[in-house]
């Protein structure tokens, strides 16, 4: 918003001071992420800028660490495990979270607040506590150190995001559409898939993308639950830092940052599309 022409000295000062403060906060938050991008192209095995990089010497830059990443069997296995776990846990999170949100939208459901608090508790409880609890619970079931255990653990972490986004979408849902479909002879199942699902689909997909990012970035629970054969990309990065200091993790981090930006852009597009469908002016 532009500075009004009638603004006084104090309002002008606050106008520019507020924007400078926001810019400083933004730079403080984004700088650690941006620094790793040029460092991932360092031809030397260092985690700092060399004199050649600071002088913009082309010979100081290379794709060495990206080639090492894509040529490493260990990293490729980690990507495969991450993909399997992330996709399976995201699908389960979308199904469970959508069903939970639909149930919470029913006016006759008692103890809504308590149930909602229970469902989103994985977002509130410290991750190390959740990881320890899941480890002992899954160990008693015999599914610890397995793909099934890791998928279920990431499903528990991703489901709250789907519950929140679908619940927000259902807040503006017009249930008269469902009643109209029923009055025309549609069965509840037919009305659900033909009327309800298309209108809440953007919320479901947005929640699914958040669940996907949660699974791809998660490392604490994976360390507790996963075995050597289920090592994911974050686990491999953690092991790379502890066992062998290699700038390859900078290349992996850069790829993850790019993927996160792409997914967040998709979520924002879906949010605006959902607002347009529900007749809310995007802002």
């Amino acid at each position: 918003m532009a500075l009004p022409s009638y603004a006084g000295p104090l309002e002008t000062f606050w106008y520019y001071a507020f924007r400078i403060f926001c810019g400083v906060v933004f730079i403080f938050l984004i700088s650690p992420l941006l620094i790793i991008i040029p460092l991932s192209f360092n031809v030397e095995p260092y985690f700092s800028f060399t004199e050649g990089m600071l002088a913009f010497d082309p010979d100081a830059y290379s794709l060495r660490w990206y080639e090492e990443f894509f040529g490493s069997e260990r990293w490729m296995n980690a990507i495969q495990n991450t993909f399997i776990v992330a996709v399976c846990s995201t699908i389960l999170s979308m199904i469970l979270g959508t069903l939970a949100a639909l149930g919470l939208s029913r006016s006759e459901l008692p103890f809504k607040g308590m149930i909602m608090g229970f469902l989103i508790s994985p977002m509130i409880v410290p991750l190390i506590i959740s990881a320890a609890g899941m480890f002992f619970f899954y160990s008693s079931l015999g599914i610890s150190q397995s793909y099934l255990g890791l998928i279920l653990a990431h499903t528990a972490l991703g489901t709250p995001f789907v519950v929140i986004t679908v619940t927000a979408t259902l807040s503006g849902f017009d249930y008269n559409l469902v009643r109209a479909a029923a009055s025309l002879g549609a069965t509840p199942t037919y009305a659900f898939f033909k009327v309800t699902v298309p209108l809440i689909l953007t919320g479901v997909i947005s929640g699914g993308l958040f669940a996907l990012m949660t699974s791809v970035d998660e490392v604490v629970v994976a360390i507790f639950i996963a075995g050597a054969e289920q090592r994911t990309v974050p686990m491999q990065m953690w092991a790379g830092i502890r066992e062998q200091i290699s700038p390859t993790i900078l290349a992996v981090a850069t790829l993850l940052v790019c993927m996160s930006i792409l997914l967040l852009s998709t979520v924002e597009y879906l949010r605006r599309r959902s607002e347009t469908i529900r007749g809310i002016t995007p802002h």
Side-chain angles (χ1 to χ4, degrees):
M1 185 175 66
L3 182 66
S5 57
Y6 53 83
L10 183 60
E11 292 174 319
T12 303
F13 170 77
W14 171 247
Y15 177 84
Y16 289 107
F18 178 72
R19 277 154 181 75
I20 292 173
F21 176 75
C22 292
V24 171
V25 172
F26 178 77
I27 293 173
F28 174 76
L29 294 176
I30 203 71
S31 294
L33 299 178
L34 295 180
I35 284 178
I36 65 172
I37 295 177
L39 286 177
S40 67
F41 295 99
N42 192 352
V43 71
E44 301 293 340
Y46 303 140
F47 284 79
S48 60
F49 290 99
T50 60
E51 293 183 359
M53 295 185 73
L54 296 176
F56 297 104
D57 182 2
D59 293 335
Y61 296 86
S62 77
L63 297 175
R64 172 185 176 183
W65 308 114
Y66 290 91
E67 293 173 353
E68 187 170 316
F69 167 68
F70 288 107
S72 170
E73 182 180 356
R74 180 178 296 183
W75 280 108
M76 291 300 105
N77 289 334
I79 288 181
Q80 180 180 349
N81 292 334
T82 301
F83 179 79
I84 293 173
V85 173
V87 170
C88 293
S89 63
T90 298
I91 293 174
L92 287 175
S93 297
M94 293 170 68
I95 295 173
L96 297 177
T98 302
L99 293 176
L102 290 171
L104 289 169
S105 67
R106 308 284 296 187
S107 58
E108 65 271 22
L109 181 70
F111 309 113
K112 278 187 181 180
M114 186 175 66
I115 296 174
M116 186 68 173
F118 175 76
L119 289 175
I120 67 172
S121 60
M123 299 175 65
I124 303 170
V125 176
L127 206 52
I128 188 69
I129 297 177
S130 299
M134 289 178 184
F135 172 74
F136 289 114
F137 179 65
Y138 292 155
S139 295
S140 64
L141 297 178
I143 59 174
S144 180
Q145 313 290 311
S146 69
Y147 282 106
L148 178 60
L150 189 57
I151 289 171
L152 292 178
H154 281 190
T155 300
L157 298 177
T159 299
F161 293 99
V162 182
V163 173
I164 291 174
T165 56
V166 177
T167 300
T169 305
L170 287 171
S171 63
F173 185 77
D174 186 1
Y175 285 94
N176 288 327
L177 297 174
V178 179
R179 299 187 185 97
S183 67
L184 294 174
T187 62
T189 304
Y190 187 86
F192 173 74
F193 284 104
K194 294 295 182 181
V195 178
T196 305
V197 170
L199 292 176
I200 67 172
L201 188 59
T202 53
V204 176
I205 295 176
S206 298
L209 291 176
F210 279 116
L212 180 69
M213 287 188 286
T214 300
S215 177
V216 171
D217 293 339
E218 202 286 321
V219 65
V220 178
V221 172
I223 290 175
F224 276 77
I225 303 298
E229 296 180 355
Q230 296 86 41
R231 177 172 287 189
T232 60
V233 169
M235 290 179 65
Q236 182 61 37
M237 293 177 70
W238 175 248
I241 293 174
R242 296 185 61 190
E243 299 169 1
Q244 51 178 354
I245 306 298
S246 170
T248 305
I249 61 174
L250 295 177
V252 182
T254 301
L255 295 175
L256 289 177
V257 169
C258 294
M259 189 186 76
S260 299
I261 293 174
L262 178 63
L263 291 178
L264 287 175
S265 300
T266 305
V267 169
E268 177 61 18
Y269 167 75
L270 292 174
R271 185 187 70 82
R272 291 174 178 268
R273 185 173 181 272
S274 175
E275 291 181 344
T276 303
I277 292 175
R278 289 185 295 158
I280 302 174
T281 303
H283 57 276

